[in-house]
Amino acid sequence: FFSSILVIEELAKVDPSVSVLCDIQNTLINTLFRRYGTEEQKRTYLPRLAKDLLGSFCLSEAESGSDAFSLRTSAKKHKDYYLINGSKMWISNAEQAGLFLVMANVDLSLGYKGITCFIVPRDTEGLHIGKKEDKLGLRASSTCPLTFENVKVPETDILGQLGQGYKYAIGMLNEGRIGIAAQMLGLAQGCFDQTIPYTKQRVQFGKRIFDFQGMQHQIAHVATQLKAAKLLTYNAARLREAGQPFIKEACMAKYFTSEVATLTTSKCIEWMGGVGFTKDYPIEKYYRDCKIGSIYEGTSNVQLNTMAKFIHDEY
């Protein structure tokens, strides 16, 4: 797990879109198969997921964002198969994915306890992938709506247990937040690394702009925030890998790194001046890419709510 986090961080220093693709594949898709798949499902999918098959995780809907378990996509039982009907929104990797893990409710009267995870290959009849969203940032990462019209899924393509999908989703999102923290950390560090050399070259009023005390204080402050974000993220990853409780720490890492990424990219544009505001330099792209960090895989307010619950119980 820690190795995946390091890879996600390093990729995000260059392109956060590639980084999030790697994050979803490793912290969500592969983990779900390894943990809950049957031996047959593992033999069928894991070798390809490590080679030429991209996966996509389908939870969010138009009316179920932060309130994820109010989803309305249904899966009705017919003999030895299910028919899935409904729609999903904001599905990452959807344009390229060859496999979708779809959360659907087998009995809406049971509420979230009816949510089940289904394996749906891309070429399944009735699965329609919509137009890629025209997003502010992470533009190389596809985000599409999905529609399911009587999508037939064999009983054998249920991943895990019937009605346990909500537990799997919670577990994966808790771990996935460490991946997003690593993405935000790498993004912020990459932006910082691109900016500081410029401040040592740019001369105004007869000296490098790095040499102005006001600049030095800002740079030192951001560098401290970056180091704190790294330690929070690595600590959450360490706890997860050691099998220790990590949920509060994962929320803290995701919340803090998204805040630090916002601060860092904004400051870097200011330090670069006019050129930082142009597309001739990559700084404005980092600035656009970072905004999603406080939104997906649990908004910042959701992270704060979860942290507060843990803090309440500790006292």
Side-chain angles (χ1 to χ4, degrees), residues 11-272:
L11 288 172
K13 290 179 180 179
V14 180
D15 191 344
S17 294
V18 176
S19 173
V20 76
L21 184 148
C22 179
D23 175 36
I24 293 166
Q25 186 84 344
N26 287 280
T27 67
L28 294 179
I29 306 300
N30 292 349
T31 303
L32 277 165
F33 272 106
R34 288 202 316 271
R35 195 169 294 172
Y36 303 113
T38 64
E39 290 306 311
E40 178 62 27
Q41 289 169 347
K42 290 176 184 177
R43 280 195 301 270
T44 301
Y45 295 110
L46 283 177
R48 290 198 58 203
L49 286 165
K51 187 171 57 176
D52 62 0
L53 182 65
L54 186 64
S56 184
F57 183 70
C58 306
L59 177 63
S60 295
E61 298 181 3
E63 301 301 324
S64 63
S66 292
D67 184 15
F69 299 136
S70 64
L71 63 85
R72 305 299 295 174
T73 297
S74 65
K76 299 294 184 185
K77 180 79 182 292
H78 296 269
K79 298 180 181 177
D80 60 348
Y81 63 90
Y82 286 81
L83 288 180
I84 299 179
N85 284 281
S87 60
K88 298 290 182 180
M89 283 193 74
W90 316 120
I91 305 305
S92 299
N93 293 354
E95 192 174 46
Q96 295 84 18
L99 179 73
F100 297 88
L101 297 184
V102 180
M103 293 295 176
N105 202 315
V106 297
D107 186 347
L108 292 171
S109 69
L110 296 176
Y112 67 88
K113 291 186 178 179
I115 297 173
T116 302
C117 186
F118 293 88
I119 303 168
V120 182
R122 184 186 185 90
D123 59 2
T124 305
E125 187 177 354
L127 169 59
H128 306 288
I129 301 164
K131 182 183 176 183
K132 178 181 173 182
E133 301 288 354
D134 188 11
K135 307 194 301 288
L136 170 72
L138 291 191
R139 294 180 64 82
S141 170
S142 66
T143 306
C144 307
L146 269 62
T147 304
F148 302 85
E149 295 182 7
N150 288 325
V151 172
K152 186 176 179 180
V153 181
E155 233 178 344
T156 52
D157 280 348
I158 290 175
L159 185 64
Q161 300 298 312
L162 197 69
Q164 297 295 299
Y166 74 99
K167 289 184 180 178
Y168 305 156
I170 290 171
M172 291 307 98
L173 291 174
N174 286 334
E175 295 182 21
R177 283 165 185 163
I178 306 174
I180 299 303
Q183 182 203 27
M184 290 295 115
L185 171 62
L187 182 161
Q189 188 66 59
C191 188
F192 190 80
D193 293 346
Q194 293 270 359
T195 302
I196 299 307
Y198 180 86
T199 69
K200 295 170 69 178
Q201 296 166 2
R202 173 74 167 164
V203 175
Q204 290 289 279
F205 302 101
K207 62 179 179 180
R208 305 179 308 172
I209 61 174
F210 186 94
D211 294 328
F212 289 95
Q213 187 181 59
M215 281 289 292
Q216 291 176 344
H217 287 182
Q218 292 180 59
I219 290 168
H221 173 70
V222 169
T224 303
Q225 299 293 300
L226 285 168
K227 182 62 72 174
K230 176 172 281 196
L231 293 173
L232 267 176
T233 303
Y234 285 12
N235 183 54
R238 175 187 65 84
L239 290 170
R240 155 62 180 81
E241 188 146 284
Q244 300 296 313
F246 68 89
I247 296 173
K248 182 181 75 172
E249 288 76 9
C251 290
M252 287 179 167
K254 182 185 181 294
Y255 166 71
F256 189 71
T257 53
S258 65
E259 294 286 303
V260 169
T262 301
L263 168 69
T264 303
T265 56
S266 179
K267 284 295 182 184
C268 284
I269 288 179
E270 293 175 18
W271 300 340
M272 295 279 287

